[in-house]
Amino acid sequence: MSTLKIFAPFDQSLIKEIPLADSQQMQTAIDQAHELFLDPSQWLPKYKRVEILEKIAILMAERSEEIIRTSTQEGGKPWMDTEVEMTRAINGVKLAIENMGHLKGEEVAMGHTASSANRMAYTMREPIGVVASVSAFNHPINLIIHQTIPAIAVGSPVIIKPAPTTPLTCLLLVELFEAAGLPKGWCTAMPCNNDVAELLVTSPKVNFFSFIGSAKVGWYLRSKLAPGTRCALEHGGAAPVIIEPDADLSSMIPALVKGGFYHAGQVCVSVQRIYVHESITDQVIEEMESQVESLKSGDPLNKDTEVGPLILPKEVDRVHEWVEEAKANGATIICGGKKISDTFYAPTLLLNPSEDSKVSSQEIFGPVVCLYTYSNRDQAIAKANSLAYAFQASIFTKNIDIALDTVKKLNATAVMVNDHTAFRVDWMPFGGRDASGLGLGSIPHSMHDMTREKLMVIKSSIL
């Protein structure tokens, strides 16, 4: 039997070794989920799903410290931020319950032609079928909730493959789901290698595929889906921010520092590219440098740590290589720019890296933020829009007309006005466009995607 060793990103200590599912076990899980869906007599009625979800929310709250500790230890996100993630995850379950009553059909008018006389018609929404979810490491609690709870809420069986670096949180949550009364087979966690995961993705018994991870992997897996399998893909971005001369720096700088260095920049909508008007560049640099250098890096289990480790030592090496490349191509290192250890990279600010440097043209996914000066806002917007990635963006200004004009021109799924790019609540549309993804991943959007519409037409002579 193959096994997986899970190491703490902080010090690379071994946390646990767990078994990996093989192809036969994966096929059994797929078959079981498919059989549950094919037999409507086994479907969980809505009131029962509500009861289970309510119990899940209660158990998550009761066991929150255990879940936070597990997630922090295996994922490396600081305790203070994982606490926030835990609260969001519990609210996500409650949000699913609230939205169950909003999934409904409507009357389709009949009788206004002779051919449609003596008929009435209504649509209804049914569970889509088996959901396959492939998750990422950076939010081990909330991403699992987003990729399983909507399916459970609408009555679709779901199989979840956690990230290989953070499977323990997923296993703990699925154990908790079953403790809340969810019958086996309705949510199955399957830690496995990529070959076995591809079996899940390509199965014709899977009706919906949910993926969170890199664009390269996501688009590849989409190409392997069976005919008719729908999907939602959430990839990364290289979030741009535009700062106008009238921006309120006192509130803006802390927001940008948080948005850029939260979870060591390992967030798909982290602040990455900041375009600063040349008239205030020196002031922005001075204030950002001061706040970035004061960030406390350390053990994520310490409740005052603000920046934790990167998920793997090779990611530290990669980030450093990118920074060195930018430096060689003319970028100025304002602060950071060095390894703290094999697992930590210093929070880094770069000034005016070249447009073709990797830090400017690809998603950094590390604690590095780039600043660029501009004199013409339209030129800054053009540079912000120059990449294939388009997810979330920001504009800081007190001028409503400039804000609205910038929102209109930026290529992004969401544009924040006077807030950082990583802002999110779980009921808002959230997802990338262009190379950054397909579909939207909020709780309500996912619930809608995990159902499909059926039309019923009734013919009667008395109508």
Side-chain angles (χ1 to χ4, degrees):
M1 177 185 292
S2 298
T3 61
L4 174 67
K5 293 181 178 180
I6 299 96
F7 298 94
F10 171 60
D11 58 8
Q12 292 300 290
S13 60
L14 179 64
I15 302 173
K16 193 172 184 179
E17 186 171 1
I18 62 171
L20 287 173
D22 59 25
S23 296
Q24 183 177 354
Q25 290 170 318
M26 178 63 80
Q27 190 60 56
T28 298
I30 295 170
D31 291 344
Q32 181 183 23
H34 186 60
E35 289 166 9
L36 282 174
F37 175 68
L38 288 181
D39 183 0
S41 69
Q42 297 190 73
W43 290 8
L44 299 171
K46 184 182 289 187
Y47 73 87
K48 185 65 176 177
R49 284 178 265 140
V50 170
E51 291 174 2
I52 292 169
L53 291 172
E54 288 175 340
K55 183 63 173 177
I56 287 172
I58 291 170
L59 290 178
M60 287 177 68
E62 290 176 351
R63 299 177 64 179
S64 62
E65 185 157 340
E66 177 188 3
I67 298 169
I68 291 169
R69 182 171 296 278
T70 299
S71 178
T72 299
Q73 188 177 23
E74 70 173 346
K77 181 189 292 183
W79 185 284
M80 65 171 66
D81 294 324
T82 306
E83 278 189 317
V84 175
E85 182 185 344
M86 185 73 223
T87 300
R88 277 185 57 194
I90 295 171
N91 287 337
V93 178
K94 296 176 181 178
L95 187 62
I97 298 170
E98 293 170 8
N99 277 273
M100 287 173 70
H102 297 297
L103 285 171
K104 58 186 184 297
E106 61 182 6
E107 181 181 1
V108 178
M110 293 284 162
H112 55 285
T113 63
S115 63
S116 64
N118 304 116
R119 291 170 176 84
M120 62 171 59
Y122 297 92
T123 61
M124 62 196 82
R125 299 207 71 84
E126 293 183 335
I128 195 170
V130 178
V131 173
S133 294
V134 175
S135 201
F137 77 86
N138 53 339
H139 307 293
I141 306 170
N142 209 44
L143 294 186
I144 298 301
I145 293 300
H146 271 256
Q147 292 183 282
T148 60
I149 290 297
I152 294 169
V154 302
S156 286
V158 56
I159 300 170
I160 177 81
K161 177 201 173 296
T165 47
T166 56
L168 301 179
T169 305
C170 176
L171 293 170
L172 178 56
L173 286 171
V174 173
E175 172 196 316
L176 184 148
F177 296 168
E178 294 181 355
L182 185 69
K184 283 190 176 297
W186 285 97
C187 183
T188 307
M190 297 294 284
C192 60
N193 61 34
N194 290 338
D195 291 341
V196 175
E198 194 159 320
L199 177 66
L200 173 65
V201 173
T202 58
S203 174
K205 294 181 178 180
V206 169
N207 302 85
F208 188 83
F209 173 56
S210 168
F211 174 82
I212 300 175
S214 74
K216 179 180 179 181
V217 174
W219 294 117
Y220 166 77
L221 293 177
R222 179 180 181 240
S223 73
K224 306 292 285 186
L225 294 176
T229 301
R230 301 180 188 179
C231 69
L233 310 175
E234 185 181 308
H235 302 149
V241 177
I242 295 176
I243 302 175
E244 280 287 280
D246 65 341
D248 180 0
L249 302 191
S250 64
S251 61
M252 181 190 74
I253 301 298
L256 292 180
V257 171
K258 184 65 177 180
F261 298 100
Y262 163 67
H263 198 7
Q266 299 171 114
V267 180
C268 57
V269 286
S270 285
V271 172
Q272 178 168 329
R273 297 174 295 149
I274 303 177
Y275 298 91
V276 190
H277 192 274
E278 60 186 10
S279 65
I280 58 169
T281 300
D282 290 343
Q283 187 178 358
V284 169
I285 289 174
E286 181 181 354
E287 296 193 23
M288 280 200 73
E289 180 182 11
S290 174
Q291 293 193 28
V292 170
E293 288 189 326
S294 69
L295 290 171
K296 183 173 181 179
S297 298
D299 186 345
L301 290 171
N302 290 339
K303 296 186 178 182
D304 58 349
T305 293
E306 296 172 289
V307 181
L310 294 182
I311 190 65
L312 294 168
K314 69 178 183 180
E315 292 300 302
V316 179
D317 295 336
R318 176 190 59 80
V319 169
H320 187 59
E321 288 173 4
W322 287 21
V323 171
E324 287 294 298
E325 178 204 48
K327 181 181 176 182
N329 290 342
T332 300
I333 297 178
I334 299 169
C335 62
K338 60 185 179 182
K339 298 181 186 179
I340 298 176
S341 69
D342 289 341
T343 58
F344 280 81
Y345 199 77
T348 299
L349 291 176
L350 300 177
L351 177 62
N352 286 327
S354 64
E355 293 296 324
D356 59 351
S357 294
K358 291 186 179 69
V359 296
S360 296
S361 59
Q362 299 182 35
E363 182 182 25
I364 297 173
F365 224 62
V368 179
V369 173
C370 303
L371 293 92
Y372 312 81
T373 58
Y374 75 90
S375 57
N376 180 285
R377 181 169 52 89
D378 282 332
Q379 291 177 353
I381 292 171
K383 289 182 178 179
N385 289 342
S386 65
L387 303 184
Y389 310 105
F391 210 136
Q392 296 197 168
S394 294
I395 168 68
F396 285 84
T397 180
K398 295 175 184 175
N399 186 312
I400 186 64
D401 290 332
I402 288 177
L404 293 175
D405 182 64
T406 307
V407 169
K408 182 178 180 180
K409 292 176 178 176
L410 281 171
N411 182 26
T413 307
V415 180
M416 310 303 158
V417 178
N418 296 325
D419 204 350
H420 62 71
T421 60
F423 171 77
R424 181 186 184 183
V425 290
D426 296 306
W427 56 90
M428 76 185 220
F430 184 84
R433 56 169 63 171
D434 301 335
S436 287
L438 184 67
L440 297 171
S442 74
I443 295 287
H445 285 89
S446 293
M447 289 175 65
H448 186 272
D449 286 348
M450 293 175 185
T451 60
R452 54 188 170 187
E453 195 170 63
K454 177 180 280 184
L455 173 69
M456 175 179 64
V457 182
I458 301 173
K459 182 180 180 181
S460 172
S461 60
I462 68 170
L463 292 173

